[in-house]
Structures are given as C-alpha cells and as structure tokens.
C-alpha cells in the first residue's frame, strides 16, 4: 500500500482522527448514568470559577470521565487556598487530580462506577 504525503491527504487524516475521537467520546458518554454526568458537569462548572483563562474539555472514556484544563497556571492549586480546599474535597470523593506539566494541563479523573 502506497502512502500519499500531500497536504490535502494530511488534512484528511487529521479530519478522520478528529471525527473518530468525537464519535468515541459520544459513545462513551452514553455509558454514564445521569448522576455521574451531573457530577462531572458540577465539578467542571466549579473548576471554571478558579481557572479564569483556561480551556476546558470533558472527555468520556470507558472507565472514567476526565475534565481536562489547559492552562499556564498548573500550580494554582498551591497558591489559591479555596482551590486547594476544593481539591481536598474532590480527593475525599475519589476524584483524582493529574497534573501534566509537559502539556500545561491538569486532568480531574472521575470514575464511571
């Protein structure tokens, strides 16, 4: 099989990968019950009050929902006392925080079950 390396073909590959990711995300979201979906939305809305200039993404996977926050303020939970307290409350509820410094993002993992 011959690979075509043209800009048009590259755009088609990117579009296919994007559509596949969106479809997978939608399918996985349907496996969550309404209480979990509400919990994920509530946590995301509360986190938006702390991270002002950030991009939020909610990704649904087979076993968990992930609230991904892309921001340059990955250390904000150490500076903002209210956010630090909220992170502790989330940890007590089983919601883990995953800091990814190489991508300037933070993920909050919420188990599906």
């Amino acid at each position: 099989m011959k690979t075509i390396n043209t800009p048009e073909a590259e755009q088609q590959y990117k579009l296919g990968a994007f559509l596949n990711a969106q479809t997978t995300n939608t399918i996985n979201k349907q496996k969550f019950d309404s209480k979990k979906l509400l919990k994920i939305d509530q946590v995301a809305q509360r986190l938006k009050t702390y991270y002002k200039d950030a991009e939020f993404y909610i990704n649904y996977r087979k076993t968990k929902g992930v609230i991904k926050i892309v921001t340059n303020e990955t250390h904000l939970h150490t500076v903002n006392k209210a956010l630090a307290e909220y992170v502790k409350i989330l940890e007590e509820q089983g919601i883990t925080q995953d800091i990814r410094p190489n991508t300037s993002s933070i993920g909050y993992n919420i188990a599906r079950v």
Side-chain angles (χ1 to χ4, degrees), residues 13-81:
Y13 295 138
K14 289 179 182 178
L15 177 62
F18 172 77
L19 293 174
N20 183 34
Q22 292 295 322
T23 303
T24 304
N25 194 37
T26 302
I27 290 169
N28 288 338
K29 182 178 179 179
Q30 293 174 357
K31 296 177 182 177
F32 284 76
D33 63 350
S34 59
K35 289 181 182 179
K36 266 310 174 189
L37 291 173
L38 182 62
K39 181 66 177 175
I40 292 170
D41 189 47
Q42 286 174 341
V43 171
Q45 293 302 319
R46 178 85 184 264
L47 289 171
K48 284 181 183 180
T49 63
Y50 298 112
Y51 295 97
K52 302 291 183 193
D53 297 324
E55 295 178 34
F56 282 77
Y57 303 98
I58 299 177
N59 296 320
Y60 298 95
R61 300 183 182 157
K62 290 181 181 179
T63 59
K64 63 184 176 181
V66 179
I67 302 168
K68 181 179 178 183
I69 304 167
V70 180
T71 180
N72 290 330
E73 299 177 340
T74 55
H75 67 283
L76 188 62
H77 67 283
T78 60
V79 178
N80 189 330
K81 292 181 182 179

Side-chain angles (χ1 to χ4, degrees), residues 79-90:
V79 178
N80 189 330
K81 292 181 182 179
L83 177 59
E85 290 176 16
Y86 186 59
V87 169
K88 287 180 185 177
I89 292 170
L90 291 177

